[in-house]
């Protein structure tokens, strides 16, 4: 159930509870808490979890007689836990009540997207006719990134007596939220200390095992009516117990106010002392709720995308989760874009390339946050340079999976749940992540005009990545082309040639074309730098004139493979066997994870023309057809609408969409091509997490790239809004399911530029400021300028 601003579930279903917990997560960009019931503990149904951006820890595990080391985003102590039972007059105490108790008669969960609150309502009805209504309202404060609170109201119907309440601060937690990881070590918190202050705040301090992050968490529990407090502490928990009188028309209220500090905070201070002081002096729940709502109102004014109907409601949910993971508070942290948000433990909380799908939206709505996420990459530039050196290359080789330090965190083994076998993992060969970083740097510069960043950290990132590509390319005299060998493309299913002794494939088209683009943009940016800065960078990187000449040459002569008059996903792709798609669909129905199916049969996707997700077609996600034409022309290759149309059709028939990003990219491209199935793929991208389309994965954490990508799909894909060097380009496509939208953006220093897109019309208003006019480029290469303080409407061509 949904309304315009509420995401609701009107019954309790143990089978979908983890999905509800993930989709009802609350966060503020610094930390987030899953939407679990306060009464629950971690088991097969429930998984309460709180996660802090950038908080990782490393543990070793023994798998198949081998020691493997994994770095995980750490599950923090549970501040939400609350237990209660009824004490009816003249009757023995009842059981502790939970959502799984047989006396539960009604359950309703409501996520308020406008206010950033989660409300759970339950009604228990026992055999004697006594009823207890329970309402929990929770927030993770968007204004104060250290605070969270939970307000619980108990109401008695048809009885009186007392209610016993235990407010628990539970530090005895482990990382166990992903079933396939449970054989691996997960106890990241040690050196626990617990206590309860005389004035009422329970507290807990602990430290991560190897990263030595100190965590201080304090919870102030207040009740109405007031009651005596019983205190009990174990090595890992602090519990406060209250016995409160309850009768009809006299509700009982219990408020937990939590404060979280860690040794990662700046300026440094004692996390425990700060958390105790903060919890003790925090405002009451009503005041916290008011200021929290005000912070969300400000955030929505910057970042809301308004689209009518059900599509708009889903997009608002997606924006909500993007903003909870990557808020203005994130700009103060050393944190990247975790692929599964701060919503669960899948992918170990690692940073992949998902920023490619999120940063275009952030750069136009929250540019400071986008800049901070690029700074996360820049701070890890030395690690990427060292990784390239160890691989025998120059420049910067960024890791496919990143965590705290910027070293490669990709597992060397992964489990196939279907076969039960641990298999080699070669996905660390996805060096195209460097091109994604460079693309985001370039787009950020175009959107913001931030010369300080582009001439500073941005130039260093772009030039180091370009140098890696130039050094990775080897000359093939037979082809008279440069080649990039031994990589893995976005597809991921093809990590080697059939029966090859070594992993990797050669000349992945997406990798090679984006590498050529990076080299060209690096040369462009180098040419724009002040002379002193150019000299400094060349000296620091050890680059000479011959190197720049090589970059130019590689950018024009990288090999792009073709077969059957389509772009080949990689060299030799067209020589692979065709898969019996109909046969596999008939046998397995859901073949999204075709790799697991084939491996369980003793086979491998390396033998087939079968892709997990968009690979070659990712080029159409990053670049418009006119841009691709120029890129291919620079490479001396033919590119026209017919070639692209054939390429799209070819891979559409050979992709099983084993990633939530795949339907997003295919929907995007088909919308641009006016393909009849465009909306089917777009809708699948919109509903992927909501319907848990991949069967249980959303409960382990939402797919942040797919959520951010749907926002970008509307703004950059449908409206066609993209910053370029000559202005803000707008080139819309007709998608009847999204006939109109409106949003506000930041562009070249202007704030709150309001964009209204309607069928055949476009309205733009620029607030008053001392800045110059906003340049626009409309369809047909029509150039316009809108001055500060002006609103204009333009007619758009039909079709």
């Amino acid at each position: 159930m949904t309304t315009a601003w509420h995401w609701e579930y009107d019954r309790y279903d143990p089978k979908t509870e983890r999905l509800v917990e993930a989709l009802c997560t609350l966060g503020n960009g610094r930390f987030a808490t899953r939407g679990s019931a306060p009464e629950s503990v971690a088991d097969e149904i429930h998984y309460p979890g709180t996660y802090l951006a950038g908080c990782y820890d490393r543990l070793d595990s023994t798998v198949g007689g081998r020691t493997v080391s994994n770095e995980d985003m750490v599950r923090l102590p549970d501040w939400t836990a609350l237990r209660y039972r009824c004490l009816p007059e003249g009757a023995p105490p009842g059981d502790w009540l939970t959502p799984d108790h047989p006396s539960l008669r009604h359950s309703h969960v409501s996520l308020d997207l406008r206010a950033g609150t989660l409300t759970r309502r339950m009604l228990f009805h026992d055999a004697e006719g006594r009823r207890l209504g329970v309402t929990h309202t929770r927030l993770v404060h968007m204004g104060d990134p250290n605070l969270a609170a939970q307000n619980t109201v108990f109401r008695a119907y048809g009885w009186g007596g007392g209610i016993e309440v235990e407010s628990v601060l539970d530090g005895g937690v482990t990382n166990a939220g992903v079933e396939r990881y449970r054989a691996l070590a997960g106890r990241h918190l040690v050196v626990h200390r617990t206590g309860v202050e005389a004035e009422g705040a329970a507290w807990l301090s602990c430290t991560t095992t190897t990263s030595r992050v100190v965590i201080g968490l304090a919870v102030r529990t207040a009740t109405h009516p007031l009651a005596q407090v019983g205190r009990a502490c174990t090595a890992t928990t602090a519990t406060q117990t209250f016995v409160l009188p309850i009768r009809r028309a006299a509700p009982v209220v219990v408020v937990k106010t939590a404060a979280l500090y860690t040794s990662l905070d700046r300026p440094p201070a004692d996390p425990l002392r700060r958390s105790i002081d903060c919890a003790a002096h925090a405002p009451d729940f009503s005041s916290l709720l008011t200021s929290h709502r005000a912070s969300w109102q400000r955030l929505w004014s910057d970042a809301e995308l308004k689209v009518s109907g059900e599509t708009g409601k889903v997009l608002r949910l997606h924006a909500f989760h993007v903003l909870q993971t990557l808020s203005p508070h994130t700009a103060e942290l050393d944190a990247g874009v975790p692929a599964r948000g701060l919503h669960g433990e899948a992918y170990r909380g690692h940073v992949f390339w998902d920023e490619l799908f999120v940063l275009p939206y952030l750069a136009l709505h929250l540019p400071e946050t986008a800049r901070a996420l690029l700074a996360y990459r820049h701070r890890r530039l030395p690690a990427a340079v060292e990784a390239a050196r160890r691989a025998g290359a120059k420049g910067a080789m960024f890791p496919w999976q990143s965590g705290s330090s910027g070293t490669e965190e990709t597992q060397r083994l992964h489990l196939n749940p279907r076969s039960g076998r641990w298999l080699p993992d070669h996905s660390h060969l996805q060096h195209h992540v460097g091109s994604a970083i460079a693309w985001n740097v370039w787009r950020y510069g175009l959107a913001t005009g931030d010369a300080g960043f582009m001439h500073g950290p941005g130039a260093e990132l772009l030039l180091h990545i370009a140098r890696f590509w130039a050094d990775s390319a080897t000359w093939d005299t037979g082809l008279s082309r440069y080649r990039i060998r031994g990589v893995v493309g976005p597809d991921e299913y093809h990590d080697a040639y059939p029966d090859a002794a070594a992993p990797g494939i050669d000349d992945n088209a997406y990798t090679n074309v984006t590498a050529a683009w990076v080299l060209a943009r690096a040369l462009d940016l180098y040419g724009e730098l002040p002379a002193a800065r150019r000299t400094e960078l060349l000296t620091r990187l050890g680059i000479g004139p011959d190197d720049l000449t090589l970059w130019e040459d590689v950018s024009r002569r990288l090999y792009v493979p073709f077969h059957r008059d389509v772009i080949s996903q990689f060299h030799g792709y067209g020589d692979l066997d065709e898969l019996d798609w109909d046969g596999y669909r008939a046998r397995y129905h859901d073949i999204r994870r075709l790799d697991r199916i084939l491996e369980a049969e003793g086979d491998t996707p390396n033998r087939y023309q079968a892709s997990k997700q968009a690979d070659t077609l990712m080029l159409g996600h990053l670049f418009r057809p006119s841009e691709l034409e120029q890129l291919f022309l620079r490479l001396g290759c033919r590119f026209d609408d017919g070639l692209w149309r054939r390429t799209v059709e070819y891979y559409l028939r050979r992709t099983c969409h084993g990633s939530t990003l795949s339907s997003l990219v295919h929907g995007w491209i088909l919308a641009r091509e006016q393909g009849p199935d465009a909306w089917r793929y777009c809708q699948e991208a919109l509903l992927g997490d909501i319907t848990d389309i991949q069967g249980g994965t959303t409960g382990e954490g939402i797919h942040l790239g797919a959520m951010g990508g749907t926002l970008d799909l509307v703004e950059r894909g449908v409206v066609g809004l993209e910053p370029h060097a000559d202005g803000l380009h707008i080139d819309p496509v007709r998608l009847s399911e999204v006939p109109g939208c409106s949003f506000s953006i930041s562009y070249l220093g202007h704030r709150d530029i309001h964009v209204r897109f309607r069928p055949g019309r476009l309205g733009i208003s620029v607030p008053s400021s001392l800045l110059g006019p906003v340049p626009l480029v409309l369809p047909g290469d029509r150039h316009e300028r809108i001055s500060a303080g002006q609103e204009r409407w333009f007619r758009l061509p039909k079709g």
Side-chain angles (χ1 to χ4, degrees), residues 47 105 108 120 510 578 615:
Y47 196 70
R105 292 294 179 268
H108 185 268
R120 278 182 175 263
Y510 173 81
E578 290 283 8
D615 190 303

Side-chain angles (χ1 to χ4, degrees), residues 159-227:
W159 66 284
I163 185 165
E164 183 179 0
V165 179
E166 289 188 352
S167 174
V168 183
L169 180 54
D170 182 11
V173 300
T174 62
N175 278 45
V178 180
E179 183 177 359
R180 60 190 175 278
Y181 300 165
R182 289 180 187 168
L184 306 175
R187 188 169 298 279
H188 291 281
L189 301 179
V190 294
V191 196
H192 291 77
R193 292 188 296 135
T194 62
V196 179
E197 296 288 287
E199 60 268 27
W203 55 264
L204 184 152
S205 175
C206 55
T207 305
T208 57
T209 305
T210 56
S211 58
R212 312 309 294 171
V213 177
V214 180
I215 297 155
L217 187 59
V219 174
R220 183 187 73 199
T221 304
T223 67
H224 179 78
L226 296 174

